[in-house]
């Protein structure tokens, strides 16, 4: 066979596969959005730092000059970068695993 013919056959096969995969993906029903983990939702209402960080996020660029926002970001960095810092949900899971 001629190499041009093989290249054309390969291109047609590639395009056919791409069209088939696109049709399959488009025929799927969209997945429902995932719910937020319960542990994060519980702490979000009571954690004053998280409330302040959300307020700073909502004021946009003005947060860069707001002293309360600067303090909140510094505290968030301190918590995040602290040695052994772990999410509260994982700490609770580890504690319950050790009790059993």
């Amino acid at each position: 066979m001629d190499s041009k013919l093989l290249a054309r056959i390969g291109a047609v096969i590639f395009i056919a596969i791409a069209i088939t995969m696109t049709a399959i993906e488009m025929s799927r029903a969209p997945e429902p959005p995932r719910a937020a983990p319960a542990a994060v939702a519980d702490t979000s209402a009571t954690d004053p730092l998280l409330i302040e960080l959300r307020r700073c996020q909502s004021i946009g660029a003005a947060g860069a000059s707001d002293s309360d926002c600067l303090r909140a970001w510094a505290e968030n960095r301190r918590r995040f970068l602290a040695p052994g810092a772990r999410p509260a949900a994982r700490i609770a899971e580890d504690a319950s695993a050790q009790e059993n």
Side-chain angles (χ1 to χ4, degrees):
M1 281 195 182
D2 189 26
S3 62
K4 287 184 180 181
L5 181 62
L6 286 175
R8 287 181 184 163
I9 291 172
V12 168
I13 290 171
F14 175 78
I15 291 171
I17 290 172
I19 290 172
T20 303
M21 291 175 65
T22 302
I24 290 170
E25 189 64 31
M26 290 179 70
S27 67
R28 282 183 171 179
E31 294 181 6
R34 295 181 182 168
V40 174
D42 293 342
T43 60
S44 65
T46 59
D47 187 10
L49 177 62
L50 186 57
I51 293 169
E52 182 65 20
L53 289 172
R54 286 186 179 160
R55 185 191 69 82
C56 295
Q57 182 182 15
S58 68
I59 63 174
S65 59
D66 185 31
S67 62
D68 291 333
C69 290
L70 294 174
R71 264 185 295 206
W73 289 328
E75 175 62 19
N76 191 42
R77 278 192 304 273
R78 186 193 66 76
R79 284 186 186 182
F80 181 76
L81 298 174
R86 298 186 304 177
R90 289 190 54 205
I91 292 172
E93 288 174 4
D94 290 346
S96 64
Q98 290 176 355
E99 290 173 4
N100 293 335

